[in-house]
Amino acid sequence: AAAASEAELVGCICATFALPRGIPHPMELETAMRPSLGVPSTAEHFATMQSRRRTLERLWGSDKGEKYLSHGDKEHSAPASEVLETLDSYMQMLMQATLSMEVAPEATRVDKSFAVEWPSPVTLSSIRARINPTAAGNHIRSAMLYETSMLLAGRAMLLNEDAWDAVHGGAIDAKKASERMRAAAGTLDYLHTKLQEGGWSEALQCIVGPDTTPVELLGAKAFRDIFLAQAQQFAIAQAVIDGKAPASLLCKLCLGVVHNLEIAVSSLRADPAIKYAKITGAHGTANQACPITMFLAFQITLFKALAHRFAAADSWAKAEYGTAIGYQKKAAALLRERADISSPGLPPTV
């Protein structure tokens, strides 16, 4: 019974905000630039980069011929860990090419049109940036920055998926899941910094206007904090599995999850362009729709309740029985379905 109770607790702690995969639209940059590449080493670089881009599309799931794949669809796509390996090798070459365009924009031109399009797994909509032969070098570089930005956002989402894989469908590896979520948060922190301080946002304006900027880019900071919270969730799960951490520490860790999620909520609400109330993820193995508002409200309340539960355990161990009972009653109240939006407790489940 104790083992079953621990397994249920770990299962609750390991909940994540899952998203479908948005399959990148084919981008034929090397074909568009081939006549003007000139130097053999440059031509070889772009040919290799194009080959990796096509491999990335296939691994991501393009063979199914759809813009999106349901969360957990392993039949039509490679595991997230495999996609990430190709993504990182492609992105390294892409960033080198983009840097060369920044250094010599006057030497950057295309002879054929090409497009950069990424279906968003967050909003289930696509934003396309099309570059024509008349485009200036800085516009071509902006298209490459758009590609890089969406790759970074996609990388974070794949790391989130890889973390999910680590705790579902077999033995739970919460330590690996926590590491993957920290890597996802780090990726989004880098993206947010480049957008806000590295001039990327300004560069993107010439091809992606303020009204059509992808939510992944607008909400990079908020999702960073959500993923930091989830990294801490998995650390708590591993601590529960190991059975060595004191209850007082687990209580503090739960409050840290709440803190990060509340910061994320503030960030989502601060920018009306994000329209966060419309963001929906996948819930459970059946891929039922789960609005991010419900997910965050549920998680914040759950981890407040868990903090009280661990505080109760800590007080009980110190023979402070009255205090322990008070904490436990508060935890129980938080875990009941709330009567209305202003009441304490969990939101209705989907």
Side-chain angles (χ1 to χ4, degrees):
S5 177
E6 179 186 291
E8 291 173 355
L9 176 60
V10 170
C12 287
I13 294 171
C14 287
T16 62
F17 188 68
L19 291 163
R21 282 190 188 180
I23 312 302
H25 187 277
M27 185 185 72
E28 299 297 329
L29 176 64
E30 189 261 345
T31 302
M33 295 189 70
R34 187 182 299 154
S36 60
L37 291 175
V39 181
S41 60
T42 303
E44 183 179 351
H45 179 94
F46 274 83
T48 303
M49 187 175 74
Q50 185 68 68
S51 175
R52 291 182 183 177
R53 178 56 152 78
R54 292 185 183 125
T55 301
L56 182 61
E57 294 161 17
R58 177 178 55 79
L59 293 174
W60 217 304
S62 63
D63 287 351
K64 192 177 180 182
E66 297 182 5
K67 287 188 174 183
Y68 303 95
L69 290 182
S70 298
H71 175 72
D73 185 344
K74 304 303 182 188
E75 180 182 353
H76 300 96
S77 62
S81 56
E82 186 177 346
V83 184
L84 283 163
E85 290 181 12
T86 302
L87 185 152
D88 286 343
S89 64
Y90 165 66
M91 186 160 59
Q92 182 178 6
M93 298 191 77
L94 175 68
M95 294 180 84
Q96 290 174 355
T98 305
L99 180 60
S100 67
M101 293 176 186
E102 181 178 0
V103 172
E106 70 284 350
T108 303
R109 60 187 179 85
V110 295
D111 294 83
K112 295 181 179 179
S113 299
F114 75 95
V116 182
E117 180 179 358
W118 282 79
S120 168
V122 179
T123 59
L124 301 183
S125 60
S126 295
I127 297 172
R128 169 179 285 208
R130 185 173 181 84
I131 300 298
N132 296 315
T134 56
N138 65 313
H139 282 199
I140 300 171
R141 173 180 172 268
S142 293
M144 295 301 93
L145 286 179
Y146 178 41
E147 169 84 348
T148 303
S149 298
M150 295 305 289
L151 270 174
L152 287 167
R155 183 178 192 272
M157 301 307 171
L158 284 168
L159 285 163
N160 178 35
E161 184 181 329
D162 198 29
W164 191 92
D165 289 343
V167 295
H168 291 84
I172 293 176
D173 190 346
K175 181 180 179 181
K176 176 185 175 181
S178 182
E179 291 170 350
R180 302 311 266 172
M181 292 311 306
R182 288 195 182 280
T187 299
L188 291 177
D189 186 62
Y190 174 80
L191 173 60
H192 174 70
T193 300
K194 284 294 186 181
L195 288 167
Q196 299 303 315
E197 301 174 15
W200 286 18
S201 288
E202 291 80 0
L204 291 176
Q205 290 307 304
C206 66
I207 58 169
V208 180
D211 296 332
T212 54
T213 300
V215 168
E216 289 91 331
L217 308 188
L218 294 173
K221 179 175 179 289
F223 275 97
R224 176 201 68 187
D225 292 325
I226 291 171
F227 288 171
L228 278 175
Q230 293 183 347
Q232 190 141 315
Q233 290 175 217
F234 290 126
I236 295 168
Q238 189 62 54
V240 171
I241 293 169
D242 294 341
K244 298 178 182 179
S248 58
L249 175 60
L250 294 175
C251 174
K252 291 178 181 178
L253 291 174
C254 288
L255 292 175
V257 171
V258 172
H259 176 70
N260 280 324
L261 292 177
E262 288 180 338
I263 291 175
V265 170
S266 296
S267 296
L268 290 170
R269 288 175 173 170
D271 188 348
I274 293 177
K275 300 176 182 177
Y276 81 101
K278 296 183 178 181
I279 298 175
T280 301
H283 173 72
T285 56
N287 282 298
Q288 296 169 287
C290 177
I292 197 170
T293 50
M294 179 180 292
F295 173 81
L296 293 173
F298 192 97
Q299 290 296 96
I300 288 170
T301 305
L302 173 63
F303 278 89
K304 283 181 179 178
L306 289 173
H308 282 84
R309 177 194 183 278
F310 290 124
D314 180 57
S315 296
W316 192 268
K318 296 175 181 176
E320 299 171 355
Y321 303 121
T323 302
I325 291 171
Y327 279 132
Q328 194 66 17
K329 285 183 177 179
K330 179 64 175 177
L334 286 166
L335 289 174
R336 297 190 189 99
E337 186 173 308
R338 64 191 183 193
D340 55 62
I341 196 169
S342 61
S343 302
L346 296 170
T349 56
V350 292

